[in-house]
């Protein structure tokens, strides 16, 4: 029987080190991913990149979304309006779950494909905001959580994405609470300082986990 997402799942046990990088929305996952790629040269596989590719104009997935929602999520040129889609699905949890059921298996397939491409790399990072929600931790040998309090998430979302406070809270609440994810993570990176401090924590995590500490 396949365990439900959120329950402890068997982790990757092969020779490759696979770091699952997750955290709440706007918590700083991209910053940590940039550090791992730029400073340490690690291949970084990103669920958000895969999702954008899946929903690009002309794909089967984007057409399925357009077939379901029609003009309310369509640009004048006929492409999928991702901002309109985001506003709609975060306001309607049933539709968000439909979209996740459509895209999560495809994102997992993309991770599996690119992990095979990078099979010779000693360490690979997998970035996924919904790592636990989608059951993707089974692809990872360890999980790092970028931790930021909700007030910090809200402030960053308002500044970064030009959302209303209500829309920002909907996006935060659509993910599992960080308190739940902390208990499932192997490493917690506290993003309450500057990039220098975050880089220091990343360096420590790379060393400690590599040594099995």
């Amino acid at each position: 029987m396949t365990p439900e997402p959120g329950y402890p799942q068997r982790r990757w046990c092969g020779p490759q080190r696979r770091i699952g990088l997750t955290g709440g929305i706007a918590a700083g996952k991209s910053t940590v991913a940039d550090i791992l790629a730029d400073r340490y040269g690690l291949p970084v596989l990103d669920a958000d990149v895969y999702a954008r590719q899946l929903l690009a104009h002309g794909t089967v997935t984007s057409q399925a979304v357009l077939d379901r929602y029609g003009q309310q999520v369509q640009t004048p040129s006929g492409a999928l309006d991702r901002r309109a889609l985001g506003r709609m699905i975060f306001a309607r949890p049933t539709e968000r779950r439909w979209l996740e059921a459509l895209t999560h298996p495809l994102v997992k397939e993309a991770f599996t494909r690119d992990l095979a491409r990078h099979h010779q790399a000693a360490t690979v990072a997998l970035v996924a905001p919904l790592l636990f929600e989608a059951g993707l931790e089974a692809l990872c040998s360890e999980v790092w959580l970028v931790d930021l309090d909700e007030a910090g998430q809200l402030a960053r979302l308002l500044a970064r994405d030009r959302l209303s406070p209500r829309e920002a809270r909907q996006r935060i609440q659509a993910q599992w609470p960080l308190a739940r994810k902390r208990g499932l993570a192997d490493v917690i990176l506290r993003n309450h300082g500057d990039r220098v401090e975050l880089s220091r924590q990343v360096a420590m995590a790379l060393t400690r986990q590599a040594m099995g500490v």
Side-chain angles (χ1 to χ4, degrees), residues 173-195:
Q173 292 165 4
Q175 299 180 349
W176 288 0
L178 285 176
R180 183 177 183 184
K181 295 184 178 183
R182 290 185 194 110
L184 298 170
D186 302 294
V187 171
I188 297 177
L189 304 172
R190 304 191 185 281
N191 191 18
H192 301 97
D194 56 19
R195 186 183 176 104

Side-chain angles (χ1 to χ4, degrees), residues 74-79:
Q74 194 170 32
T75 67
S77 67

Side-chain angles (χ1 to χ4, degrees), residues 7 15 28 36 45 59 68 72 79 104 109-110 117 125 129 132 134 137 141 153 160 179 186 193 202 212:
Y7 288 85
L36 291 173
L45 314 181
T59 63
R68 186 174 179 89
Q72 62 180 319
H104 283 181
E109 287 179 10
R117 288 179 53 236
F132 292 118
E137 72 269 33
S141 55
Q153 288 179 268
R160 186 189 73 183
D186 302 294
V202 169

Side-chain angles (χ1 to χ4, degrees), residues 21-205:
L21 180 59
T22 192
I25 188 170
K29 296 180 298 297
S30 295
T31 302
V32 174
D34 288 345
I35 293 168
L36 291 173
D38 297 342
R39 180 168 298 184
Y40 299 99
L42 300 189
V44 174
L45 314 181
D46 193 327
D48 284 344
V49 172
Y50 297 143
R52 285 195 295 272
Q53 293 170 346
L54 288 168
L55 295 175
H57 184 50
T59 63
V60 172
T61 312
S62 68
Q63 189 58 53
V65 174
L66 290 171
D67 288 345
R68 186 174 179 89
Y69 303 121
Q71 292 184 345
Q72 62 180 319
V73 297
Q74 194 170 32
T75 67
S77 67
L80 184 64
D81 186 335
R82 288 174 54 84
R83 291 185 67 85
L85 178 64
R87 288 192 299 269
M88 190 267 292
I89 64 167
F90 284 110
R92 297 164 62 183
T94 300
E95 298 307 318
R96 189 186 76 247
R97 288 191 288 272
W98 176 86
L99 185 64
E100 290 173 349
L102 174 68
T103 58
H104 283 181
L106 299 174
V107 168
K108 186 172 184 178
E109 287 179 10
F111 271 126
T112 302
R113 177 199 68 213
D114 286 350
L115 283 167
R117 288 179 53 236
H118 292 285
H119 70 279
Q120 292 185 328
T123 305
V124 180
L126 295 76
V127 186
L130 302 181
L131 187 87
F132 292 118
E133 292 91 330
L136 294 170
E137 72 269 33
L139 297 176
C140 308
S141 55
E142 63 200 72
V143 175
W144 296 7
L145 175 71
V146 185
D147 194 13
L148 180 67
D149 59 78
E150 186 171 324
Q153 288 179 268
L154 185 61
R156 292 184 183 187
L157 269 178
L158 293 175
R160 186 189 73 183
D161 293 349
R162 302 190 305 278
L163 300 172
S164 69
R166 179 172 175 271
E167 289 173 327
R169 289 190 179 92
Q170 285 176 337
R171 282 158 170 74
I172 293 171
Q173 292 165 4
Q175 299 180 349
W176 288 0
L178 285 176
R180 183 177 183 184
K181 295 184 178 183
R182 290 185 194 110
L184 298 170
D186 302 294
V187 171
I188 297 177
L189 304 172
R190 304 191 185 281
N191 191 18
H192 301 97
D194 56 19
R195 186 183 176 104
V196 172
E197 168 57 21
L198 192 58
S199 296
R200 185 190 67 80
Q201 294 181 61
V202 169
M204 288 181 60

